[in-house]
Amino acid sequence: MAESRTLTLADPAATARLGDAVAQALVTLQPDHFCIYLEGELGAGKTAFARALLEGLGYLGRVPS
């Protein structure tokens, strides 16, 4: 069963740092597959996290919300 975690971050910069940190962990671990579910209210930072994560993985394209 998948684990669930709730994080409260101080600001958008903290969200971006977390996204980049998760990306670096994935690069290091090189999992065969992974799934991250993001849930939250409008403006919670889901898109900011996803953008930072994808940028950290090397994606250069547009990331819509």
Side-chain angles (χ1 to χ4, degrees):
M1 180 171 188
E3 292 185 35
S4 176
R5 300 280 188 240
T6 299
L7 297 173
T8 301
L9 302 170
D11 54 36
T15 302
R17 286 191 303 272
L18 177 63
D20 185 60
V22 171
Q24 297 314 308
L26 291 170
V27 168
T28 300
L29 295 172
Q30 298 181 1
D32 290 333
H33 62 276
F34 66 94
C35 185
I36 298 173
Y37 293 96
L38 301 176
E39 181 179 88
E41 299 290 326
L42 183 65
K46 300 176 299 290
T47 301
F49 175 83
R51 286 180 176 144
L53 173 68
L54 291 169
E55 184 178 306
L57 292 172
Y59 182 74
L60 301 176
R62 181 177 176 273
V63 180
S65 61

